[in-house]
Structures are given as C-alpha cells and as structure tokens.
Coordinates of all heavy atoms in Angstrom, one line a residue:
M1 N 115.7 89.9 103.0 CA 116.7 89.9 101.8 C 116.4 91.1 100.9 O 115.2 91.3 100.4 CB 116.5 88.6 101.0 CG 117.2 88.6 99.7 SD 117.2 87.1 98.7 CE 115.6 86.4 99.0
P2 N 117.4 92.0 100.8 CA 117.1 93.1 99.9 C 116.9 92.7 98.4 O 117.6 91.8 97.9 CB 118.5 93.9 100.0 CG 119.1 93.5 101.3 CD 118.6 92.1 101.4
T3 N 116.0 93.3 97.8 CA 115.7 93.0 96.3 C 115.7 94.3 95.6 O 115.4 95.4 96.1 CB 114.4 92.3 96.1 OG1 113.3 93.1 96.6 CG2 114.4 90.9 96.9
F4 N 116.0 94.3 94.3 CA 116.1 95.5 93.4 C 115.2 95.2 92.2 O 115.4 94.1 91.6 CB 117.5 95.8 93.0 CG 118.4 96.1 94.3 CD1 118.9 95.1 95.0 CD2 118.5 97.4 94.6 CE1 119.7 95.4 96.1 CE2 119.2 97.7 95.8 CZ 119.9 96.8 96.5
R5 N 114.4 96.1 91.8 CA 113.5 95.9 90.7 C 113.5 97.1 89.8 O 113.8 98.3 90.2 CB 112.0 95.8 91.2 CG 111.8 94.6 92.1 CD 110.5 94.6 92.8 NE 110.4 93.5 93.8 CZ 110.0 92.3 93.5 NH1 109.7 91.9 92.3 NH2 110.0 91.3 94.5
V6 N 113.1 96.9 88.5 CA 112.9 98.0 87.6 C 111.6 97.7 86.9 O 111.3 96.6 86.5 CB 114.1 98.0 86.5 CG1 114.2 96.7 85.7 CG2 113.9 99.2 85.6
K7 N 110.7 98.8 87.1 CA 109.3 98.7 86.5 C 108.6 97.4 87.1 O 107.9 96.7 86.3 CB 109.3 98.7 85.0 CG 109.7 100.1 84.5 CD 108.7 101.1 84.8 CE 109.1 102.4 84.1 NZ 108.1 103.5 84.3
G8 N 108.9 97.1 88.3 CA 108.3 95.9 89.0 C 108.9 94.6 88.7 O 108.5 93.6 89.3
K9 N 109.9 94.5 87.8 CA 110.6 93.3 87.5 C 111.9 93.1 88.3 O 112.7 94.0 88.3 CB 110.9 93.1 86.1 CG 109.6 93.0 85.2 CD 109.9 92.9 83.7 CE 110.5 91.6 83.4 NZ 110.7 91.4 81.9
L10 N 112.0 92.1 89.0 CA 113.2 91.8 89.8 C 114.5 91.6 88.9 O 114.4 90.9 87.9 CB 113.0 90.5 90.6 CG 113.9 90.1 91.7 CD1 113.9 91.2 92.8 CD2 113.5 88.7 92.2
F11 N 115.6 92.3 89.3 CA 116.8 92.1 88.5 C 118.0 91.8 89.4 O 119.0 91.4 89.0 CB 117.1 93.3 87.6 CG 117.6 94.5 88.3 CD1 118.9 94.8 88.5 CD2 116.6 95.5 88.7 CE1 119.3 96.0 89.2 CE2 117.0 96.7 89.3 CZ 118.4 96.9 89.6
L12 N 117.9 91.9 90.8 CA 119.0 91.6 91.7 C 118.5 91.3 93.1 O 117.5 92.0 93.5 CB 120.0 92.8 91.7 CG 121.3 92.6 92.5 CD1 122.4 93.5 91.8 CD2 121.2 93.0 93.9
T13 N 119.1 90.3 93.7 CA 118.8 90.1 95.1 C 120.1 89.9 95.9 O 121.1 89.5 95.3 CB 117.9 88.8 95.4 OG1 118.7 87.7 95.0 CG2 116.7 88.9 94.5
L14 N 120.1 90.3 97.2 CA 121.2 90.1 98.1 C 120.8 89.2 99.1 O 120.1 89.6 100.1 CB 121.7 91.4 98.7 CG 122.4 92.4 97.8 CD1 122.6 93.7 98.4 CD2 123.8 91.8 97.4
P15 N 121.1 87.9 99.0 CA 120.7 86.9 100.0 C 121.3 87.2 101.4 O 122.3 88.0 101.5 CB 121.2 85.6 99.5 CG 121.4 85.8 98.0 CD 121.8 87.2 97.9
E16 N 120.8 86.6 102.4 CA 121.3 86.7 103.8 C 122.8 86.7 103.8 O 123.5 86.0 103.1 CB 120.8 85.6 104.6 CG 119.3 85.4 104.6 CD 118.6 86.0 105.8 OE1 119.3 86.2 106.9 OE2 117.4 86.3 105.7
G17 N 123.4 87.6 104.6 CA 124.8 87.7 104.7 C 125.5 88.6 103.7 O 126.6 89.1 103.9
E18 N 124.8 88.8 102.6 CA 125.2 89.8 101.6 C 126.7 89.5 101.1 O 127.4 90.5 100.8 CB 125.0 91.2 102.0 CG 123.6 91.5 102.3 CD 123.3 92.9 102.8 OE1 124.3 93.7 102.9 OE2 122.1 93.2 103.0
T19 N 127.1 88.2 101.0 CA 128.4 87.9 100.5 C 128.3 87.5 99.0 O 129.3 87.3 98.3 CB 129.0 86.8 101.3 OG1 128.1 85.6 101.2 CG2 129.2 87.1 102.7
S20 N 127.1 87.4 98.5 CA 126.8 87.1 97.1 C 125.6 87.9 96.7 O 124.8 88.5 97.5 CB 126.6 85.6 96.9 OG 125.4 85.2 97.6
M21 N 125.3 87.8 95.4 CA 124.1 88.4 94.8 C 123.6 87.5 93.7 O 124.4 86.7 93.1 CB 124.3 89.8 94.3 CG 125.3 89.9 93.2 SD 125.4 91.7 92.6 CE 126.6 91.5 91.3
A22 N 122.3 87.5 93.5 CA 121.7 86.8 92.4 C 121.3 87.8 91.4 O 120.7 88.8 91.7 CB 120.5 86.0 92.9
V23 N 121.6 87.6 90.1 CA 121.3 88.5 89.0 C 120.7 87.7 87.8 O 121.0 86.5 87.6 CB 122.6 89.3 88.5 CG1 123.0 90.3 89.6 CG2 123.7 88.4 88.1
R24 N 120.0 88.4 87.0 CA 119.5 87.9 85.8 C 120.6 87.6 84.8 O 121.6 88.4 84.7 CB 118.5 88.8 85.1 CG 117.2 88.9 85.8 CD 116.2 89.9 85.0 NE 115.0 89.9 85.7 CZ 113.9 89.3 85.2 NH1 114.0 88.6 84.1 NH2 112.8 89.4 85.9
C25 N 120.5 86.4 84.1 CA 121.6 86.1 83.1 C 121.0 85.1 82.2 O 120.4 84.1 82.7 CB 122.7 85.6 83.9 SG 124.2 85.2 82.8
P26 N 121.0 85.3 80.9 CA 120.5 84.2 80.0 C 121.2 82.9 80.3 O 122.4 82.8 80.6 CB 121.0 84.7 78.6 CG 121.1 86.2 78.7 CD 121.6 86.4 80.1
I27 N 120.4 81.8 80.2 CA 120.9 80.5 80.6 C 122.1 80.1 79.9 O 123.1 79.5 80.5 CB 119.7 79.5 80.5 CG1 118.7 79.7 81.6 CG2 120.3 78.0 80.6 CD1 117.5 78.8 81.5
A28 N 122.2 80.3 78.6 CA 123.4 79.9 77.9 C 124.7 80.7 78.4 O 125.7 80.1 78.5 CB 123.2 80.1 76.4
D29 N 124.5 81.9 78.6 CA 125.6 82.7 79.1 C 126.0 82.3 80.5 O 127.1 82.2 80.9 CB 125.2 84.3 79.1 CG 125.1 84.8 77.7 OD1 125.5 84.1 76.7 OD2 124.4 85.9 77.6
R30 N 125.0 82.1 81.3 CA 125.1 81.7 82.7 C 126.0 80.4 82.8 O 126.9 80.3 83.6 CB 123.7 81.4 83.4 CG 123.8 80.9 84.8 CD 122.5 80.4 85.2 NE 122.2 79.2 84.6 CZ 121.1 78.5 84.8 NH1 120.2 78.9 85.6 NH2 120.9 77.3 84.2
D31 N 125.6 79.4 82.0 CA 126.3 78.1 82.0 C 127.8 78.3 81.6 O 128.7 77.7 82.3 CB 125.6 77.1 81.1 CG 124.2 76.7 81.7 OD1 123.9 77.0 82.9 OD2 123.5 76.2 80.9
E32 N 128.0 79.2 80.7 CA 129.4 79.5 80.2 C 130.2 80.2 81.4 O 131.3 79.8 81.6 CB 129.4 80.3 79.0 CG 130.8 80.5 78.4 CD 130.7 81.4 77.1 OE1 129.8 81.1 76.3 OE2 131.5 82.3 77.0
L33 N 129.5 81.1 82.0 CA 130.2 81.8 83.1 C 130.6 80.8 84.3 O 131.7 80.9 84.8 CB 129.3 82.9 83.7 CG 129.1 84.2 83.0 CD1 128.0 85.0 83.6 CD2 130.4 85.0 83.0
V34 N 129.7 80.0 84.6 CA 129.9 79.0 85.7 C 131.1 78.1 85.4 O 131.9 77.8 86.2 CB 128.6 78.3 86.0 CG1 128.9 77.1 87.0 CG2 127.6 79.2 86.7
Q35 N 131.1 77.7 84.1 CA 132.2 76.8 83.7 C 133.5 77.4 83.6 O 134.5 76.9 84.0 CB 131.8 76.1 82.3 CG 130.8 75.1 82.4 CD 130.4 74.5 81.0 OE1 130.8 75.1 80.0 NE2 129.8 73.4 81.0
S36 N 133.5 78.7 83.2 CA 134.8 79.4 83.0 C 135.3 80.0 84.3 O 136.5 80.1 84.4 CB 134.7 80.4 81.9 OG 133.8 81.4 82.3
E37 N 134.4 80.4 85.2 CA 134.9 81.1 86.4 C 134.0 80.6 87.6 O 133.3 81.3 88.2 CB 134.7 82.6 86.3 CG 135.6 83.2 85.2 CD 135.5 84.7 85.1 OE1 134.6 85.2 84.5 OE2 136.3 85.3 85.8
P38 N 134.2 79.3 88.0 CA 133.4 78.8 89.1 C 133.7 79.4 90.4 O 132.9 79.3 91.3 CB 133.7 77.3 89.0 CG 135.1 77.2 88.4 CD 135.1 78.3 87.4
H39 N 134.8 80.0 90.6 CA 135.1 80.7 91.8 C 134.3 82.0 91.9 O 134.2 82.5 93.1 CB 136.6 81.1 91.9 CG 137.1 82.0 90.8 ND1 137.3 81.6 89.5 CD2 137.4 83.3 90.9 CE1 137.7 82.6 88.8 NE2 137.8 83.6 89.6
K40 N 133.8 82.5 90.8 CA 132.9 83.7 90.9 C 131.5 83.4 90.8 O 130.6 84.1 91.4 CB 133.3 84.7 89.7 CG 134.6 85.3 89.8 CD 134.8 86.4 88.7 CE 136.2 86.9 88.7 NZ 136.4 87.8 87.6
F41 N 131.1 82.5 90.0 CA 129.7 82.3 89.6 C 129.3 80.8 89.9 O 130.0 79.9 89.8 CB 129.5 82.5 88.1 CG 129.9 83.9 87.6 CD1 131.1 84.1 87.0 CD2 129.1 85.0 87.9 CE1 131.6 85.3 86.6 CE2 129.5 86.3 87.4 CZ 130.7 86.4 86.8
W42 N 128.0 80.7 90.4 CA 127.4 79.4 90.6 C 125.9 79.5 90.4 O 125.3 80.6 90.4 CB 127.8 78.8 91.9 CG 127.0 79.2 93.1 CD1 126.0 78.4 93.6 CD2 127.1 80.3 93.9 NE1 125.4 79.1 94.7 CE2 126.2 80.3 94.9 CE3 128.0 81.5 93.8 CZ2 126.0 81.3 95.9 CZ3 127.8 82.4 94.8 CH2 126.9 82.4 95.8
I43 N 125.3 78.4 90.3 CA 123.8 78.3 90.1 C 123.2 77.7 91.4 O 123.6 76.5 91.7 CB 123.5 77.4 88.9 CG1 124.1 78.0 87.6 CG2 121.9 77.4 88.7 CD1 124.1 77.1 86.4
A44 N 122.3 78.4 92.0 CA 121.6 77.8 93.1 C 120.6 76.7 92.6 O 120.1 76.9 91.6 CB 120.8 78.9 93.9
S45 N 120.5 75.7 93.4 CA 119.7 74.5 92.9 C 118.3 74.9 92.5 O 117.7 74.5 91.6 CB 119.6 73.4 93.9 OG 119.1 73.9 95.2
H46 N 117.7 75.9 93.3 CA 116.3 76.3 93.0 C 116.2 77.2 91.8 O 115.1 77.6 91.3 CB 115.7 76.9 94.2 CG 116.2 78.2 94.7 ND1 117.4 78.3 95.4 CD2 115.9 79.5 94.4 CE1 117.7 79.5 95.6 NE2 116.8 80.3 95.0
E47 N 117.3 77.6 91.2 CA 117.4 78.5 90.1 C 117.9 77.8 88.8 O 118.2 78.4 87.8 CB 118.2 79.7 90.3 CG 117.6 80.6 91.4 CD 118.6 81.7 92.0 OE1 119.8 81.5 91.8 OE2 118.1 82.6 92.7
A48 N 118.0 76.5 88.9 CA 118.6 75.7 87.8 C 117.9 75.9 86.5 O 118.6 75.9 85.4 CB 118.7 74.2 88.2
Y49 N 116.6 76.1 86.5 CA 115.9 76.2 85.2 C 115.4 77.7 85.0 O 114.6 77.9 84.1 CB 114.7 75.3 85.2 CG 115.1 73.9 85.4 CD1 115.0 73.2 86.6 CD2 115.7 73.2 84.3 CE1 115.4 71.9 86.8 CE2 116.1 71.9 84.5 CZ 116.0 71.2 85.7 OH 116.5 70.0 85.9
N50 N 116.0 78.6 85.7 CA 115.7 80.0 85.5 C 116.9 80.8 85.0 O 118.0 80.3 85.3 CB 115.2 80.6 86.9 CG 113.9 79.9 87.3 OD1 113.0 79.8 86.5 ND2 113.9 79.5 88.5
A51 N 116.7 81.9 84.5 CA 117.8 82.7 84.0 C 118.4 83.6 85.0 O 118.4 84.9 85.0 CB 117.3 83.5 82.8
W52 N 119.0 83.0 86.0 CA 119.6 83.7 87.2 C 121.0 83.0 87.4 O 121.1 81.8 87.3 CB 118.7 83.6 88.4 CG 117.5 84.5 88.3 CD1 116.3 84.2 87.8 CD2 117.4 85.8 88.8 NE1 115.5 85.2 87.8 CE2 116.1 86.3 88.5 CE3 118.3 86.7 89.5 CZ2 115.7 87.5 88.8 CZ3 117.8 87.9 89.8 CH2 116.5 88.3 89.5
V53 N 121.9 83.8 87.9 CA 123.2 83.2 88.3 C 123.5 83.9 89.6 O 123.2 85.1 89.9 CB 124.3 83.5 87.3 CG1 124.6 84.9 87.1 CG2 125.5 82.6 87.5
R54 N 124.3 83.2 90.5 CA 124.8 83.8 91.7 C 126.2 84.3 91.5 O 127.0 83.6 90.8 CB 124.8 82.7 92.9 CG 123.4 82.2 93.2 CD 122.7 83.3 93.9 NE 121.3 82.8 94.1 CZ 120.7 82.7 95.4 NH1 121.4 83.0 96.4 NH2 119.5 82.3 95.5
V55 N 126.6 85.4 92.2 CA 127.9 86.0 92.0 C 128.5 86.1 93.4 O 127.9 86.7 94.3 CB 127.8 87.4 91.4 CG1 129.1 88.0 91.2 CG2 127.0 87.3 90.1
R56 N 129.7 85.6 93.6 CA 130.5 85.8 94.9 C 131.1 87.2 94.8 O 132.0 87.4 94.0 CB 131.5 84.7 95.0 CG 131.0 83.3 95.4 CD 132.1 82.3 95.5 NE 131.5 81.0 95.7 CZ 131.1 80.2 94.8 NH1 131.3 80.5 93.5 NH2 130.6 79.0 95.1
L57 N 130.7 88.0 95.7 CA 131.1 89.4 95.6 C 132.6 89.5 95.9 O 133.3 90.4 95.3 CB 130.3 90.3 96.6 CG 128.8 90.4 96.3 CD1 128.1 91.1 97.4 CD2 128.6 91.1 94.9
S58 N 133.2 88.8 96.8 CA 134.6 88.9 97.1 C 135.5 88.4 96.0 O 136.7 88.7 96.0 CB 134.9 88.1 98.4 OG 134.6 86.7 98.2
A59 N 134.9 87.6 95.1 CA 135.7 87.1 94.0 C 135.8 88.0 92.8 O 136.6 87.8 91.8 CB 135.2 85.7 93.5
L60 N 135.0 89.1 92.8 CA 135.0 90.0 91.6 C 136.3 90.8 91.6 O 136.9 91.1 92.6 CB 133.9 91.0 91.7 CG 132.5 90.3 91.6 CD1 131.3 91.3 91.8 CD2 132.3 89.5 90.3
D61 N 136.8 91.1 90.3 CA 138.0 91.7 90.1 C 138.0 93.2 90.7 O 139.0 93.6 91.3 CB 138.4 91.8 88.6 CG 138.6 90.4 88.1 OD1 139.0 89.5 88.9 OD2 138.4 90.2 86.9
D62 N 137.0 93.9 90.4 CA 136.9 95.3 90.8 C 135.5 95.9 90.7 O 134.6 95.1 90.3 CB 137.9 96.1 90.0 CG 137.7 96.0 88.5 OD1 136.6 95.7 88.0 OD2 138.7 96.2 87.8
R63 N 135.4 97.1 91.0 CA 134.0 97.8 90.9 C 133.5 97.8 89.5 O 132.3 97.7 89.3 CB 134.2 99.2 91.5 CG 132.8 99.9 91.5 CD 132.8 101.2 92.1 NE 131.5 101.8 92.0 CZ 131.2 102.9 91.8 NH1 132.1 103.9 91.7 NH2 129.9 103.4 91.8
D64 N 134.3 97.9 88.5 CA 133.9 97.9 87.1 C 133.2 96.6 86.8 O 132.2 96.6 86.1 CB 135.0 98.2 86.1 CG 135.6 99.6 86.2 OD1 134.8 100.5 86.8 OD2 136.7 99.9 85.8
E65 N 133.7 95.5 87.2 CA 133.1 94.2 87.0 C 131.8 94.1 87.7 O 130.8 93.7 87.1 CB 134.0 93.0 87.4 CG 133.5 91.7 87.0 CD 134.4 90.6 87.3 OE1 135.2 90.7 88.3 OE2 134.3 89.5 86.7
L66 N 131.7 94.5 88.9 CA 130.5 94.6 89.6 C 129.4 95.4 88.9 O 128.2 95.0 88.7 CB 130.7 95.1 91.1 CG 129.4 95.3 91.9 CD1 128.7 94.1 92.2 CD2 129.8 96.0 93.2
E67 N 129.8 96.6 88.5 CA 128.9 97.5 87.8 C 128.4 96.8 86.5 O 127.2 96.9 86.2 CB 129.6 98.8 87.5 CG 128.6 99.8 86.9 CD 129.3 101.2 86.6 OE1 130.2 101.5 87.4 OE2 128.9 101.9 85.7
A68 N 129.3 96.2 85.7 CA 128.9 95.6 84.4 C 127.8 94.5 84.7 O 126.9 94.4 83.9 CB 130.1 95.1 83.8
I69 N 128.0 93.7 85.7 CA 127.1 92.6 86.0 C 125.8 93.1 86.4 O 124.7 92.7 85.9 CB 127.7 91.7 87.1 CG1 128.9 90.9 86.6 CG2 126.6 90.8 87.7 CD1 129.7 90.3 87.7
I70 N 125.7 94.2 87.2 CA 124.4 94.8 87.7 C 123.7 95.4 86.5 O 122.5 95.3 86.3 CB 124.7 95.8 88.8 CG1 125.2 95.0 90.0 CG2 123.4 96.6 89.1 CD1 125.7 95.9 91.2
V71 N 124.4 96.2 85.7 CA 123.8 96.8 84.5 C 123.3 95.8 83.5 O 122.2 95.9 83.0 CB 124.9 97.8 83.8 CG1 124.3 98.2 82.4 CG2 125.1 99.0 84.7
D72 N 124.0 94.7 83.3 CA 123.5 93.7 82.4 C 122.2 93.1 82.9 O 121.3 92.9 82.1 CB 124.6 92.6 82.2 CG 125.8 92.9 81.3 OD1 125.7 94.0 80.7 OD2 126.8 92.2 81.3
S73 N 122.2 92.8 84.2 CA 121.0 92.3 84.8 C 119.8 93.2 84.7 O 118.7 92.9 84.3 CB 121.2 91.9 86.3 OG 120.1 91.3 86.8
W74 N 120.1 94.5 85.0 CA 119.1 95.6 84.8 C 118.5 95.6 83.4 O 117.3 95.7 83.3 CB 119.6 96.9 85.3 CG 118.7 98.0 85.2 CD1 117.8 98.5 86.2 CD2 118.5 99.0 84.1 NE1 117.1 99.6 85.7 CE2 117.5 99.9 84.5 CE3 119.1 99.1 82.8 CZ2 117.1 100.9 83.6 CZ3 118.7 100.1 82.0 CH2 117.7 101.0 82.4
Q75 N 119.4 95.6 82.4 CA 118.9 95.6 81.0 C 118.1 94.4 80.6 O 117.2 94.6 79.8 CB 120.2 95.7 80.1 CG 120.8 97.1 80.2 CD 122.1 97.2 79.4 OE1 122.7 96.2 79.0 NE2 122.4 98.4 79.0
L76 N 118.3 93.3 81.3 CA 117.5 92.1 81.0 C 116.0 92.3 81.5 O 115.1 91.6 81.1 CB 118.1 90.9 81.5 CG 119.4 90.4 80.7 CD1 120.1 89.4 81.5 CD2 119.0 89.9 79.3
A77 N 115.9 93.1 82.6 CA 114.6 93.3 83.2 C 113.9 94.6 82.7 O 112.7 94.6 82.8 CB 114.8 93.3 84.7
A78 N 114.6 95.6 82.3 CA 114.0 96.9 82.0 C 113.3 96.9 80.7 O 113.7 96.2 79.7 CB 115.1 98.0 82.0
P79 N 112.2 97.7 80.6 CA 111.6 97.8 79.3 C 112.5 98.6 78.3 O 113.3 99.3 78.6 CB 110.4 98.6 79.6 CG 110.5 99.2 80.9 CD 111.6 98.5 81.6
P80 N 112.4 98.2 77.0 CA 113.3 98.8 76.0 C 113.4 100.3 76.0 O 114.5 100.9 75.8 CB 112.7 98.3 74.6 CG 112.0 97.1 75.0 CD 111.5 97.3 76.4
Q81 N 112.3 101.0 76.2 CA 112.3 102.5 76.2 C 113.1 103.1 77.3 O 113.8 104.1 77.2 CB 110.9 103.1 76.1 CG 110.0 102.8 77.3 CD 109.2 101.5 77.2 OE1 109.6 100.5 76.5 NE2 108.1 101.4 77.9
L82 N 113.1 102.3 78.5 CA 113.9 102.8 79.6 C 115.4 102.6 79.3 O 116.2 103.4 79.7 CB 113.4 102.1 80.9 CG 114.0 102.6 82.2 CD1 113.7 104.1 82.4 CD2 113.4 101.8 83.4
I83 N 115.7 101.4 78.7 CA 117.1 101.1 78.4 C 117.6 102.2 77.4 O 118.7 102.8 77.6 CB 117.2 99.7 77.7 CG1 116.9 98.7 78.8 CG2 118.6 99.5 77.2 CD1 116.7 97.3 78.2
E84 N 116.8 102.6 76.4 CA 117.2 103.6 75.5 C 117.4 104.9 76.1 O 118.4 105.7 75.8 CB 116.2 103.7 74.4 CG 116.6 104.6 73.2 CD 117.9 104.2 72.5 OE1 118.1 102.9 72.4 OE2 118.6 105.1 72.1
K85 N 116.6 105.2 77.1 CA 116.7 106.5 77.8 C 117.9 106.7 78.6 O 118.5 107.7 78.6 CB 115.4 106.7 78.7 CG 115.4 108.0 79.5 CD 114.2 108.1 80.4 CE 114.2 109.3 81.2 NZ 113.0 109.4 82.0
H86 N 118.4 105.5 79.1 CA 119.6 105.5 79.9 C 120.9 105.0 79.2 O 121.9 104.8 79.8 CB 119.4 104.7 81.2 CG 118.4 105.4 82.1 ND1 118.6 106.5 82.8 CD2 117.0 105.1 82.2 CE1 117.5 106.8 83.5 NE2 116.5 106.0 83.1
R87 N 120.8 104.8 77.9 CA 122.0 104.4 77.1 C 123.1 105.3 77.3 O 123.0 106.5 77.2 CB 121.6 104.2 75.6 CG 122.7 103.4 74.9 CD 122.2 103.0 73.5 NE 120.9 102.3 73.5 CZ 120.8 101.0 73.8 NH1 121.8 100.3 74.2 NH2 119.6 100.4 73.7
G88 N 124.3 104.8 77.5 CA 125.5 105.6 77.6 C 125.8 106.2 79.0 O 126.8 106.9 79.2
L89 N 124.9 106.0 79.9 CA 125.2 106.5 81.3 C 126.1 105.5 82.0 O 126.3 104.4 81.8 CB 123.9 106.6 82.1 CG 122.9 107.6 81.6 CD1 121.6 107.6 82.5 CD2 123.5 109.0 81.6

C-alpha cells in the first residue's frame, strides 16, 4: 500500500486497488463530510476513533477537489514552519 509522509508523519494512504485514499481530517469535519456527501466520504471501522477519512476517488468532482483534500491532509501533518514556507503554492 503506497503511503505519503511529511517529516515522518503519515498524511495519505492508497489502499489496495487504489480506488480510494485515506487522508487526515479532524473528527468533527470528517463526520460532517460523511453525513453531507456519503457517496464521496466514509469512515473505515478501524479508523472510527482517529482523525482519518476515506475518499472515493471516482466520486470527486475534479482535480481541484482532489488537490484541496490532499493539501488539507498535508497541512494537518506538516510542521508549522514547513506550512509557512509553502504557503501560497
């Protein structure tokens, strides 16, 4: 399973089949996403108490939505000075 890290902290995984991805997401936001767009987002049972959400890649609107989700997850894992260095990119 491919995994992506920033400064040693995991921020994205591509499970077998690569039809979905798991990303960091604050639990309150995650629950709201799952309720409002269950065709795009779901919570794996083993991640129920962790700040992660699953994303169905085929359900995303476009590349911009994919990029925003990945950047948000990266920012949750990256140290503040690295986020500041890359702000606006």
Side-chain angles (χ1 to χ4, degrees):
M1 168 175 36
T3 61
F4 298 84
R5 299 172 189 272
V6 57
K7 294 292 186 178
K9 291 179 74 176
L10 191 63
F11 72 92
L12 186 148
T13 65
L14 284 170
E16 305 260 340
E18 300 179 359
T19 59
S20 67
M21 65 181 178
V23 292
R24 287 179 177 260
C25 185
I27 290 175
D29 296 342
R30 175 194 73 179
D31 293 346
E32 186 177 316
L33 282 172
V34 170
Q35 287 180 343
S36 66
E37 297 184 274
H39 63 287
K40 287 184 187 180
F41 304 101
W42 86 97
I43 303 165
S45 59
H46 66 279
E47 295 167 343
Y49 301 103
N50 298 310
W52 287 84
V53 68
R54 298 290 175 121
V55 182
R56 288 180 182 86
L57 297 175
S58 64
L60 296 177
D61 295 333
D62 54 27
R63 182 175 180 216
D64 290 341
E65 185 176 27
L66 173 64
E67 183 177 334
I69 291 168
I70 293 171
V71 168
D72 287 349
S73 183
W74 180 87
Q75 289 177 334
L76 289 168
Q81 62 274 25
L82 190 58
I83 294 170
E84 186 58 38
K85 181 178 178 181
H86 294 284
R87 192 169 305 283
L89 293 179

